[in-house]
Amino acid sequence: MTGPHAHGPWHAAALIASFAVTTYAVLHILDDPSLPRMALWFLAAAIAHDLVLFPAYAAADRAITSLDTRIPLVNHIRLPLLASGLLLLMFLPGIIRQGADTFHTATGLTQTPFLTRWLLLTALLLTTSAATYAARVLLARRVVKHDQASPRQGPARP
């Protein structure tokens, strides 16, 4: 039998908390003249995610999980790409040079290095993950060779 909320009380509490935070944020930006533009960006992002990105990464995830590898590969691809995607979302205005004049006025710097740094971080994350995967594969092969080379011993006798 399920309770009043199908996913448990913590799920309901998390939903209520997220709605409270959203309401707080919306109340603070109601007087902002750029509210329609922000709402349009939010709507476009939600539609782009649900219609384009989610099917794309769900298909890629299904293809990767269908590969027959001894050491699971999927998280070695998911984690660096997730980190790279989050960094892209955080620094997208700098990467596409949105608000370059405001950024220059506030910091005295240009937005030129944003794209290069994001690409370098992505390459570093992918390389680290690939090296970790290679190390796991080598360790697994070493364990198999060690198990095949050493004779099996029975349980210790008193």
Side-chain angles (χ1 to χ4, degrees), residues 60-75:
D61 194 65
R62 185 168 292 185
I64 293 168
T65 54
S66 69
L67 295 174
D68 187 26
T69 58
R70 187 171 178 171
I71 304 292
L73 177 64
V74 67
N75 284 335

Side-chain angles (χ1 to χ4, degrees), residues 98-151:
Q98 181 81 24
D101 293 336
T102 305
F103 185 80
H104 181 70
T105 303
T107 64
L109 303 171
T110 66
Q111 293 177 320
T112 305
F114 276 77
L115 177 61
T116 306
R117 289 177 183 165
W118 174 70
L119 290 173
L120 286 173
L121 278 172
T122 300
L124 178 69
L125 290 167
L126 289 170
T127 303
T128 303
S129 182
T132 305
Y133 183 73
R136 288 184 68 199
V137 169
L138 290 175
L139 285 174
R141 286 184 183 167
R142 177 178 274 180
V143 168
V144 168
K145 284 182 183 177
H146 178 72
D147 287 347
Q148 290 173 350
S150 65

Side-chain angles (χ1 to χ4, degrees), residues 41-106:
W41 270 99
F42 184 77
L43 182 65
I47 290 171
H49 175 265
D50 290 350
L51 296 181
V52 178
L53 290 177
F54 183 73
Y57 59 69
D61 194 65
R62 185 168 292 185
I64 293 168
T65 54
S66 69
L67 295 174
D68 187 26
T69 58
R70 187 171 178 171
I71 304 292
L73 177 64
V74 67
N75 284 335
H76 288 278
I77 296 173
R78 277 184 189 159
L79 290 177
L81 291 182
L82 175 67
S84 176
L86 290 175
L87 287 171
L88 176 66
L89 285 177
M90 283 178 52
F91 296 107
L92 185 62
I95 291 171
I96 62 173
R97 298 182 184 176
Q98 181 81 24
D101 293 336
T102 305
F103 185 80
H104 181 70
T105 303

Side-chain angles (χ1 to χ4, degrees), residues 23-40:
T23 303
Y24 176 78
V26 168
L27 289 177
H28 273 281
I29 61 170
L30 276 179
D31 296 336
D32 195 334
S34 62
L35 179 61
R37 196 173 77 186
M38 282 191 278
L40 181 65

